Amino acid sequence: MERNGEYDIIGWFDEVAETADSVQTQTLSQILRLNYGVEYLKKWFRDINIQEMEENALESLFTSLVPLASHADLEHYIQRIADGDDAPLLTQEAITNLSLSSGTTEGRQKFVPFTRHSSKTTLQIFKLAAAYRSRIYPIREGGRILELIYSSKQFKTKGGLTVGTATTHYYASEEFKIKQEQTKSFTCSPEAVISSGDYNQSTYCHLLLGLHFRDEVEFITSTFAYSIVQAFRSFEELWREICDDIREGSLSSRITITKVRNAVLDIISPNPCLASRIASTCEELEEKDWFCMIPKLWPNAKYVYSIMTGSMQPYLRKLRHYAGNLPLVSADYGSTESWIGVNVDPSSPPEKVTFAVMPNFSYFEFIPLHRQSQQNSNSNTDDFIEEDPVPLSQVKLGQEYEIVLTTFTGLYRYRLGDVVEVAGFHKKIPKLNFICRRKLILTVNIDKNTEKDLQLVVERGSQALSKSKAELVDFTSHADAAKQPGHYVIYWEINGEVEERVLRECCREMDASFVDHGYVVSRRTNSIGPLELCIVEKGTFKKILEHFIRNGAALSQFKIPRCTSNQVLLKILDASTIKRFRSTAYGQEL
Ligand code: AMP
C-alpha cells in the first residue's frame, strides 16, 4: 500500500484488521497447504486431500481432527529434525535453524523451529511498531539507536542445524540489515559487538559507542527491560573507564576479543571535549543516585523502548528512575514460537499496554479460561476451568484466554501457556492484555500461585523498603517441601541498608499478602509453614544470569526465573544468603 510514494504499513495493517476473520482463515489454509503431507499432519488428516478444499471447510476440519498439543507432544519430531532426519516431519520447507526459547519461565530450554518466515515476520512487526511510534514520537531519519542487544552462542546439532535464540538468528539475518536501512535508523554498535558472545564486553562497548554517538541517539532499546536496567547498573560502575576511552580514543583492556576491539577502535577517535562533558554529567548524576541518567546523557533521545510487561514489570521502577520524564514505550508481544501482537498505542503507559494480534503471522485460537471460585477449587493443576478453544473472530471483551498457535514453522494447535485478556479491539482484531504464564510456580499443598501472584506479593512486601531508601534489585522463590510442613522461600537482593525490624515486617507482609484460598487455609492450619525471606548478598542475581548465559541463554531474551527448584540455582542462592527471616503470627497484626 502506497501513500505519498512511500509504503504505508499502517494503512496495510488497518486493511488486514478490517478483514481479520478471513485473513485468519486464509493464513491457516496457507499453512496447511504449504505443509500438506508432512508426517505430523498425515497422522490426523490421513488420506484426506485438503489441497482443493474450500478454506472455511478446511478450518473446521483442522480444528476437529488435529488435537491441541504441548511442546512435549512435538519434542520427538523436533529431536528427529535436530538429529538430521530430512523427511518432511513438521514442514515441507527444510528447517535449518532451531531456536532456544529462553526456558527461564518453563525451567528448561526448548527447541523451536526457526525459518526465513520467522525473520520476515520480525522485520514486519518491527516496521509496523516503528510506524506507530513515529506518529507520536517522530525521530530523525539517519539517526542512531542505542540497542542493548546480544546474540547468544550458536552451536550445531548432530544433524548440522544451527541452534541459537530466536533473536540471535534474527540479528544474523538479512532482515536485520534491511530493518536498519528501511527504517533509516542505525544501531550504534557493529555486528561484532552484538555477537561477541561475552555479554559484559558487549555491554561495555554498547555504552561506549552509545556515548560516542550520543547526539545522534534517537531512542534507547532492548528486547526485554531487564537488559536496559542491567546495562545502566553496570554503567554506574564503568563510567570513569568509558570516559577515559572516549578521551583517548582507546579501548579498555577488559575488552579482550580481537574482532570486537578492531570493530570498536575503527569507529572511535580521541574526543577529550565529549569525555569531559560526560564526566561532569556523571559526577552530578552520581550525587543524585543516577536519577534521570538517560535524558541527561542522551539529550536527543525521544523515548525508551522495550518489553516492560509481564515478568519485566518489577524492573519498571528502576527504569523510570533512569528515564526521568522520558516516555517509556512498551514493546510488542512475541515468543520464540511466533510473534503475537503489536503495540498500536505507544503512548499508553506500560501498566496499561495492549497488543493487537497480527492475524497474518500465525493462526490463533483462544481457550476461554474461567477462574474457579477459590473455595471450590480442588484440582491440583491451576485455578482455571477451560472451555473449547474459539477462533479469533469469536473472542469476547473482558474474557481471559490461553493462546493456541498454528505456525508456518510447523507448530499445530500448540498451547503457548500464556494467559491473556481481551482488553479491546483494533477494528476486528482483539487487543490483548498480557496476564501471566499459566503454569503455577508456587505450590506445596492445595495452594496455587502464579508468577503474577508472587509479583504482587513481592510488590506489597517491598513497599517498606523505599522508606529506608533501599531498593529491591531482584527476587526469586522456591517452594520448599523437603520438610513437613512445606513452606515458601523468597529470596531478595537489596541495594541499600535496611534494619532487621523492617525486613521482618516485609516477610510478615508477604506471608499475609497471598490471597490464594489454598494458601490462606493451609497457613491457618499450619499445613504450610511460615514464609521464609532470605536476603542474598549483592551480585547474587548477576551470578544467576551468568549461570544461564554459560548454559546457552542470551541476555536479550533473559528472564530471571521467579521460582526455582534447580539445584544449581538453589546452591548459589543458599550460599549467598546473608540473613534469614521467618514470618510469625500469621493472620494477626504484630
Ligand atoms: P521466550 O520465547 O522464552 O523468549 O519468551 C516468550 C515469553 O515471554 C512469552 O510467551 C511471554 O510469556 C513473555 N513475553 C513476551 N513478550 C511479552 C510482552 N510484551 N509482555 C509480557 N510478556 C511477554
Side-chain angles (χ1 to χ4, degrees):
M1 195 169 189
E2 299 243 336
R3 181 173 294 163
N4 304 330
E6 293 229 346
Y7 178 66
D8 174 16
I9 195 164
I10 293 185
W12 162 81
F13 188 59
D14 281 347
E15 265 181 25
V16 168
E18 264 322 337
T19 53
D21 308 356
S22 55
V23 171
Q24 275 282 274
T25 309
Q26 283 158 18
T27 302
L28 176 65
S29 123
Q30 237 181 321
I31 294 172
L32 296 179
R33 291 199 169 118
L34 276 173
N35 295 313
Y36 178 61
V38 300
E39 194 173 313
Y40 185 77
L41 287 178
K42 256 209 280 194
K43 193 163 136 190
W44 313 109
F45 282 121
R46 298 188 180 273
D47 295 329
I48 303 173
N49 184 350
I50 61 156
Q51 292 294 28
E52 302 300 318
M53 201 175 274
E54 189 268 327
E55 282 177 349
N56 288 307
L58 180 54
E59 185 174 3
S60 315
L61 186 73
F62 172 71
T63 52
S64 64
L65 287 184
V66 179
L68 294 175
S70 66
H71 189 269
D73 298 311
L74 298 174
E75 210 157 24
H76 163 67
Y77 294 87
I78 298 177
Q79 194 55 52
R80 278 170 63 194
I81 295 170
D83 291 344
D85 188 337
D86 56 7
L89 300 178
L90 294 173
T91 54
Q92 286 291 354
E93 182 190 352
I95 290 168
T96 53
N97 287 348
L98 290 175
S99 294
L100 273 175
S101 81
S102 66
T104 40
T105 40
E106 282 286 328
R108 72 193 173 95
Q109 295 191 314
K110 294 176 296 187
F111 283 162
V112 178
F114 183 98
T115 65
R116 188 77 197 268
H117 185 270
S118 319
S119 316
K120 283 189 175 156
T121 52
T122 304
L123 173 61
Q124 201 173 4
I125 198 166
F126 281 8
K127 279 174 24 187
L128 182 60
Y132 276 109
R133 289 199 307 279
S134 64
R135 276 181 165 185
I136 297 179
Y137 310 113
I139 57 168
R140 270 180 315 137
E141 273 190 9
R144 297 243 171 207
I145 316 171
L146 170 50
E147 287 196 274
L148 296 156
I149 53 177
Y150 307 82
S151 293
S152 64
K153 294 201 175 91
Q154 288 183 315
F155 63 91
K156 294 273 182 199
T157 65
K158 192 169 124 193
L161 280 81
T162 308
V163 179
T165 58
T167 39
T168 303
H169 294 319
Y170 171 68
Y171 300 141
S173 74
E174 208 35 47
E175 280 72 20
F176 181 60
K177 290 182 201 107
I178 299 174
K179 184 207 86 163
Q180 307 204 44
E181 274 145 29
Q182 290 189 350
T183 55
K184 300 195 180 67
S185 38
F186 298 87
T187 185
C188 293
S189 298
E191 200 272 332
V193 169
I194 299 168
S195 66
S196 83
D198 177 323
Y199 83 94
N200 284 313
Q201 298 195 32
S202 298
T203 300
Y204 186 94
C205 297
H206 281 322
L207 292 166
L208 169 65
L209 293 167
L211 287 168
H212 170 80
F213 291 116
R214 77 183 293 214
D215 291 333
E216 292 168 56
V217 169
E218 292 290 304
F219 66 96
I220 289 154
T221 187
S222 73
T223 313
F224 287 101
Y226 175 81
S227 355
I228 303 189
V229 169
Q230 184 69 29
F232 289 135
R233 279 192 197 280
S234 307
F235 183 77
E236 294 181 20
E237 314 285 324
L238 293 170
W239 67 270
R240 285 192 175 80
E241 218 171 310
I242 291 180
C243 283
D244 289 345
D245 282 347
I246 294 175
R247 185 175 305 107
E248 310 290 333
S250 56
L251 193 53
S252 155
S253 60
R254 62 172 77 230
I255 310 303
T256 54
I257 303 167
T258 313
K259 76 171 181 156
V260 177
R261 289 194 68 84
N262 292 341
V264 175
L265 287 167
D266 265 358
I267 298 172
I268 57 174
S269 50
N271 193 340
C273 181
L274 177 64
S276 52
R277 263 192 291 148
I278 293 171
S280 73
T281 309
C282 287
E283 272 156 22
E284 277 170 35
L285 284 167
E286 204 170 32
E287 299 267 292
K288 295 180 187 142
D289 192 24
W290 300 94
F291 180 62
C292 273
M293 174 205 282
I294 300 175
K296 290 263 161 55
L297 289 175
W298 288 277
N300 294 320
K302 313 290 185 296
Y303 54 86
V304 178
Y305 179 58
S306 189
I307 293 176
M308 299 167 189
T309 33
S311 60
M312 293 297 125
Q313 225 165 331
Y315 307 111
L316 261 180
R317 183 195 283 255
K318 190 68 178 175
L319 201 55
R320 284 215 164 93
H321 180 82
Y322 286 141
N325 289 332
L326 216 54
L328 298 184
V329 182
S330 207
D332 310 309
Y333 173 24
S335 64
T336 303
E337 290 82 350
S338 169
W339 280 103
I340 295 156
V342 58
N343 176 4
V344 296
D345 309 302
S347 59
S348 58
E351 289 83 356
K352 296 217 171 114
V353 73
T354 59
F355 306 99
V357 175
M358 298 292 300
N360 63 328
F361 279 12
S362 290
Y363 177 72
F364 296 91
E365 291 173 84
F366 298 84
I367 302 176
L369 299 174
H370 301 281
R371 285 179 198 261
Q372 300 190 52
S373 90
Q374 300 264 340
Q375 278 84 347
N376 295 339
S377 153
N378 53 11
S379 83
N380 54 5
T381 49
D382 64 16
D383 264 341
F384 294 108
I385 300 178
E386 52 183 60
E387 289 176 39
D388 289 339
V390 296
L392 178 140
S393 57
Q394 285 174 30
V395 297
K396 295 201 176 72
L397 190 67
Q399 172 66 49
E400 287 186 345
Y401 299 94
E402 181 186 339
I403 295 185
V404 175
L405 297 168
T406 296
T407 69
F408 282 91
T409 55
L411 308 176
Y412 303 96
R413 308 198 81 207
Y414 174 98
R415 299 176 79 131
L416 185 62
D418 283 353
V419 179
V420 295
E421 179 197 359
V422 175
F425 287 88
H426 177 74
K427 303 188 188 293
K428 303 245 171 65
I429 288 178
K431 289 204 289 187
L432 309 176
N433 198 340
F434 179 86
I435 304 288
C436 60
R437 299 282 307 169
R438 181 160 176 186
K439 196 170 172 275
L440 293 176
I441 59 162
L442 279 169
T443 174
V444 291
N445 185 21
I446 53 162
D447 48 314
K448 304 180 180 81
N449 285 294
T450 63
E451 182 168 339
K452 172 108 178 189
D453 298 321
L454 173 69
Q455 216 162 286
L456 292 171
V457 162
V458 170
E459 210 173 289
R460 281 199 64 162
S462 58
Q463 270 164 13
L465 292 182
S466 47
K467 284 183 221 133
S468 312
K469 297 215 162 27
E471 59 167 345
L472 183 64
V473 174
D474 227 322
F475 66 94
T476 188
S477 66
H478 171 57
D480 184 356
K483 281 198 215 108
Q484 286 303 321
H487 73 288
Y488 292 1
V489 187
I490 299 185
Y491 297 90
W492 279 8
E493 181 176 326
I494 300 174
N495 204 356
E497 287 307 311
V498 189
E499 284 175 50
E500 297 215 343
R501 178 186 56 81
V502 176
L503 292 170
R504 205 164 290 119
E505 172 58 20
C506 294
C507 179
R508 195 199 61 81
E509 180 66 33
M510 286 198 287
D511 203 8
S513 299
F514 281 100
V515 290
D516 159 53
H517 184 70
Y519 188 78
V520 172
V521 169
S522 307
R523 279 293 287 122
R524 282 202 190 122
T525 54
N526 207 33
S527 36
I528 294 184
L531 184 139
E532 184 175 354
L533 169 63
C534 295
I535 307 297
V536 295
E537 63 195 11
K538 259 186 135 179
T540 303
F541 280 83
K542 200 151 188 231
K543 277 192 208 152
I544 293 179
L545 165 69
E546 275 157 10
H547 165 76
F548 277 99
I549 301 262
R550 268 197 306 278
N551 287 288
L555 186 52
S556 276
Q557 269 175 261
F558 184 72
K559 304 173 202 77
I560 286 281
R562 293 295 179 213
C563 181
T564 187
S565 45
N566 175 321
Q567 289 306 317
V568 182
L569 291 201
L570 288 174
K571 240 184 172 164
I572 300 178
L573 289 161
D574 286 326
S576 314
T577 296
I578 45 178
K579 281 179 194 155
R580 278 176 203 273
F581 302 90
R582 287 297 283 257
S583 126
T584 49
Y586 184 79
Q588 297 161 31
E589 290 302 317
L590 281 182

mmCIF file of all heavy atoms in Angstrom, residues 51 247 271 295 429 568:
data_model
loop_
_atom_site.group_PDB
_atom_site.id
_atom_site.type_symbol
_atom_site.label_atom_id
_atom_site.label_comp_id
_atom_site.label_asym_id
_atom_site.label_seq_id
_atom_site.Cartn_x
_atom_site.Cartn_y
_atom_site.Cartn_z
ATOM 1 N N GLN A 51 -5.953 -30.132 -0.542
ATOM 2 C CA GLN A 51 -5.484 -29.112 -1.489
ATOM 3 C C GLN A 51 -6.631 -28.388 -2.190
ATOM 4 O O GLN A 51 -6.547 -27.193 -2.437
ATOM 5 C CB GLN A 51 -4.520 -29.713 -2.529
ATOM 6 C CG GLN A 51 -3.184 -30.156 -1.949
ATOM 7 C CD GLN A 51 -2.327 -28.996 -1.409
ATOM 8 O OE1 GLN A 51 -2.847 -27.974 -0.989
ATOM 9 N NE2 GLN A 51 -1.016 -29.173 -1.401
ATOM 10 N N ARG A 247 38.035 9.861 25.816
ATOM 11 C CA ARG A 247 39.067 10.914 25.795
ATOM 12 C C ARG A 247 40.248 10.508 24.904
ATOM 13 O O ARG A 247 40.686 11.254 24.048
ATOM 14 C CB ARG A 247 39.551 11.191 27.222
ATOM 15 C CG ARG A 247 40.526 12.353 27.333
ATOM 16 C CD ARG A 247 40.898 12.669 28.789
ATOM 17 N NE ARG A 247 39.703 12.907 29.602
ATOM 18 C CZ ARG A 247 39.225 12.069 30.505
ATOM 19 N NH1 ARG A 247 39.840 10.908 30.746
ATOM 20 N NH2 ARG A 247 38.138 12.358 31.188
ATOM 21 N N ASN A 271 38.332 12.119 21.793
ATOM 22 C CA ASN A 271 37.380 13.236 21.861
ATOM 23 C C ASN A 271 37.352 13.782 23.298
ATOM 24 O O ASN A 271 36.409 13.538 24.056
ATOM 25 C CB ASN A 271 35.989 12.737 21.414
ATOM 26 C CG ASN A 271 35.039 13.886 21.152
ATOM 27 O OD1 ASN A 271 35.270 15.002 21.633
ATOM 28 N ND2 ASN A 271 33.973 13.625 20.418
ATOM 29 N N PRO A 295 18.031 10.790 29.919
ATOM 30 C CA PRO A 295 17.947 12.069 29.193
ATOM 31 C C PRO A 295 19.154 12.978 29.401
ATOM 32 O O PRO A 295 19.499 13.768 28.525
ATOM 33 C CB PRO A 295 16.664 12.712 29.735
ATOM 34 C CG PRO A 295 16.319 11.962 30.968
ATOM 35 C CD PRO A 295 16.936 10.613 30.871
ATOM 36 N N ILE A 429 -9.641 -6.814 15.168
ATOM 37 C CA ILE A 429 -8.560 -7.559 15.820
ATOM 38 C C ILE A 429 -8.629 -7.363 17.340
ATOM 39 O O ILE A 429 -8.701 -6.231 17.810
ATOM 40 C CB ILE A 429 -7.186 -7.037 15.332
ATOM 41 C CG1 ILE A 429 -6.946 -7.465 13.901
ATOM 42 C CG2 ILE A 429 -6.066 -7.517 16.215
ATOM 43 C CD1 ILE A 429 -5.646 -6.941 13.355
ATOM 44 N N VAL A 568 21.323 -26.167 41.118
ATOM 45 C CA VAL A 568 22.485 -25.262 40.981
ATOM 46 C C VAL A 568 22.102 -23.867 41.471
ATOM 47 O O VAL A 568 22.836 -23.230 42.233
ATOM 48 C CB VAL A 568 22.962 -25.209 39.503
ATOM 49 C CG1 VAL A 568 24.187 -24.318 39.375
ATOM 50 C CG2 VAL A 568 23.250 -26.603 38.982
#
